[in-house]
Amino acid sequence: MNNTASHHPQYPTSDGIRPASSAGPASSTGPAGTGLSYDRPPVLIAQDLVMDYAADHARTSAGHGITGSAAVAMQTNPSMHALALNHVGFTLGEGETVAVMGPSGSGKSTLLHALAGIITPTSGTVMFRGANLASMGDAGRTRLRRGAFGFVFQSGQLLPELPAVENIALPMMLGGAGYREATDRAVLWLERLGLRALAAQRPGEMSGGQMQRIAIARALAVNPAVVFADEPTGALDQTTGREIMGILMDTARANGSAVVVVTHDPNVAAFCSRTVRMRDGRLETAADPAESGRGRNGGAR
């Protein structure tokens, strides 16, 4: 190990091991319309996003030769049904941590899926470092999700037949890394999170908190630009949930990764540097950073 980094904790990244930065990201801003501005170009910009599942379904049905009065009504009068995303704009700075809150059905998970390229919105654009996700095609978006984005879901979504070390290594192997390289890096992450003893254990042999720690390691092992976390503590007790959020934010900050967390829990949102709220498919005015305690992990201000 390089002695020049001996004064800083070491974190595994996709291109080797580098020292964790002792300073937070340079970003000091929020999205347009909040009175904030970015020092660096944002990592993600979404503009005028509309997600109309009903109209999309009607168009798909029409494309397959399926007709009906309901499909015609939805196509000719979109105001008759609710939009999952209703002209939403969202900006995420490099290294920024943002919580998206809202009641069930408000559109927060749909927003996360659109930002991550999991779904394509009916209209509007999502730009990742200047590249339009819609122009990438399915293969391009898949590569993006494997290398530039990391994911932590409520249930962890680990593969039950794989031990922890291979669950962490899998995204790296899908991205082209060899088995030995990927598993060696996965072991580094297990050691970083104090889970080396779980290397050979499968998800069914772990607690909920342990599975979420493995999921965090898997998400960050590829050194993503953005980590998307959808209700990451929803299946955990409050104490374990706080521990998981602390680990997620600390490791993401060390990697320089931005984080978008979807949650209904204000205690989870308090870990982020900024909180926005959704209702009926619309993004409400961002919370004052002072109101949310400016986040517990530094991040953008």
Side-chain angles (χ1 to χ4, degrees), residues 146-182:
R146 287 177 179 172
F149 297 160
F151 298 89
V152 181
F153 298 100
Q154 179 173 331
S155 61
Q157 293 194 358
L158 303 177
L159 294 180
E161 65 272 21
L162 296 183
V165 66
E166 292 182 357
N167 262 293
I168 297 170
L170 182 60
M172 292 180 278
M173 290 190 288
L174 291 173
Y179 179 84
R180 180 63 181 272
E181 176 189 355

Side-chain angles (χ1 to χ4, degrees), residues 111-185:
L111 174 61
L112 182 147
H113 293 163
L115 295 174
I118 296 172
I119 60 174
T120 300
T122 307
S123 63
T125 59
V126 178
M127 308 290 289
F128 170 71
R129 290 179 172 166
N132 189 337
L133 266 60
S135 301
M136 293 181 180
D138 290 340
R141 288 190 293 273
T142 296
R143 287 193 296 271
L144 196 70
R145 291 193 298 270
R146 287 177 179 172
F149 297 160
F151 298 89
V152 181
F153 298 100
Q154 179 173 331
S155 61
Q157 293 194 358
L158 303 177
L159 294 180
E161 65 272 21
L162 296 183
V165 66
E166 292 182 357
N167 262 293
I168 297 170
L170 182 60
M172 292 180 278
M173 290 190 288
L174 291 173
Y179 179 84
R180 180 63 181 272
E181 176 189 355
T183 53
D184 283 352
R185 290 191 43 73

